[in-house]
Amino acid sequence: MSRDPLVVGNVVGDVLDPFIKSAAMRVIYNNKELTNGSELKPSAITNQPRVEIRGRNARTLYTLVMVDPDSPSPSNPTKREYLHWLVTDIPETTNASYGNEIVSYESPRPTAGIHRLVFILFRQSVSQTIYAPGWRQNFNTRDFAAVYNLGDPVAAVFFNCQRENGCGGRRYNK
Amino acid sequence: MWSSDQQQHMNTRNMMSSSSSSRSSPSSNSSVLVPQAPTAKRRTMEELWKDINLTTLHQDHRSYHRFPGDGSSPSFRNIILQDFLAKPVNQALAISPPAVEEHYPPPKSALSLNSGLEFQFLAPDYANSHSSSSPNASFVSSALSAAVAGPPSPSGLFSLCSKRRLLPDNTTTGVDRHHKRMIKNRESAARSRARKQAKTQTAIYL
């Protein structure tokens, strides 16, 4: 069984298909680089992170997607995946602020359970117009990539996030 | 060896790995639900189906649509349902209808053990509906068909099977709620294990 944290954490499976990493993406919250499977509080992620894409060819463009597959709760993810951020046309060697923000960054505020939050990077073959979905919930990264011919992801990283304080109380699910 | 194999299989399912390869036939999946020894099931299967008949007949005249939510029957039902679903579903289906049919004559005398009063109520019912499929048989067989239709999809197997175990009666008894809760707890534990492993794997690679 693969030991890749993305596989172990079921990100590959719930959100993505297996892929080969071919881009160097760094996600930086509060001057700290994000590592797979780490845990951040909502207060630490209220503002959008700096997402750098290292490389040599500034003509290569990338699309960044940030989703929460465990919305509203991991045991009942009826809103999987909840789209938090969508930026396109990010040139290699720069960061996400140079791209086209299609869906603005929404600060994650999980109420129930421990949510995974995933950043996915796609390499664009051309500069293309990508339309914002009508709503954030029930976004499907796989379908999105298929519709816009983005191909397989080239990089991904995820972290965990739960309520700032306490557990939110008992849920009386059916 | 069989039970530990099933246990491991159950753990794999709990990890929500969708890549279980060779064991994903519906019949083997349904038998994963309750990892108990198979031989004990076969022996008591006939008696349990007889008991199902007894309880359904027992309450037939009182309340056709409901099992009592409390009292002695739920645990009774619990054993029956678990045993039923522990078997491969095809086999269970094949066995139970003849079991249901052939026990119509004997319960007449067995009923008298439970309650002499009810026996008098039920005797005329027996006489009328002996040959044709009585409401009891259709009740039970509809439960069977509901359960048979259950297992096919492998994803989310546990939750899917637990929903199918509800008899046509819509109210969930305490037993089903406990079972659902148990499944949810196991899924949560599996997620927690996955989280922990993801953290350690990241630490190794860094």
Side-chain angles (χ1 to χ4, degrees), chain A residues 25-123:
Chain A
M25 170 174 73
R26 286 174 19 139
V27 177
I28 299 163
Y29 273 113
N30 304 319
N31 287 323
K32 277 187 65 178
E33 179 175 350
L34 189 67
T35 51
N36 266 324
S38 56
E39 173 132 5
L40 295 177
K41 291 191 166 186
S43 53
I45 57 176
T46 45
N47 298 316
Q48 66 191 47
R50 184 184 163 84
V51 181
E52 299 176 349
I53 305 171
R54 297 196 309 267
R56 291 212 240 134
N57 184 358
R59 282 198 293 271
T60 312
L61 301 174
Y62 292 86
T63 293
L64 175 74
V65 180
M66 177 184 178
V67 294
D68 177 356
D70 298 326
S71 178
S73 103
S75 58
N76 187 29
T78 52
K79 293 188 189 166
R80 171 177 292 179
E81 309 145 21
Y82 189 93
L83 181 65
H84 280 279
W85 201 21
L86 178 56
V87 189
T88 65
D89 292 346
I90 305 171
E92 192 172 303
T93 73
T94 67
N95 62 69
S97 56
Y98 286 75
N100 215 347
E101 194 178 57
I102 307 291
V103 175
S104 61
Y105 180 81
E106 180 180 297
S107 161
R109 303 187 65 83
T111 49
I114 303 180
H115 295 215
R116 293 164 296 173
L117 288 147
V118 193
F119 289 93
I120 307 127
L121 195 69
F122 294 97
R123 185 174 284 129

Side-chain angles (χ1 to χ4, degrees), chain B residues 9 13 23 25-26 28-33 150-164 183 187:
Chain B
H9 187 52
R13 291 228 153 263
R23 310 183 208 175
S25 64
S28 68
N29 279 345
S30 62
S31 63
V32 167
L33 279 177
S153 81
S155 64
L157 179 69
F158 276 119
S159 51
L160 194 68
C161 273
S162 68
K163 280 176 197 148
R164 293 293 182 193
I183 286 173
E187 287 172 359

Side-chain angles (χ1 to χ4, degrees), chain A residues 1 3-6 8-10 13-14 35-39 70 74-76 114-116 158 160 170-171 173-174, chain B residues 14-18 166 170 172 180-181 184 187-188 190-191 193-199 201-206:
Chain A
M1 184 158 159
R3 299 224 194 92
D4 181 4
L6 287 168
V8 172
N10 270 314
D14 290 344
T35 51
N36 266 324
S38 56
E39 173 132 5
D70 298 326
S75 58
N76 187 29
I114 303 180
H115 295 215
R116 293 164 296 173
F158 84 101
N160 296 310
R170 178 177 170 183
R171 261 79 59 186
N173 290 329
K174 194 141 171 21
Chain B
N14 277 330
M15 296 286 288
M16 296 201 291
S17 129
S18 56
L166 291 174
N170 278 336
T172 46
K180 274 191 192 170
R181 191 72 215 135
K184 287 212 165 192
E187 287 172 359
S188 174
R191 278 195 300 271
R193 281 192 298 272
R195 250 196 315 272
K196 179 178 175 183
Q197 285 186 6
K199 278 188 192 157
Q201 293 305 330
T202 312
I204 288 172
Y205 282 128
L206 277 180

Side-chain angles (χ1 to χ4, degrees), chain B residues 56-67:
Chain B
T56 55
L57 295 169
H58 195 64
Q59 285 123 26
D60 189 34
H61 62 284
R62 258 186 281 155
S63 155
Y64 174 67
H65 294 291
R66 290 181 59 100
F67 280 131

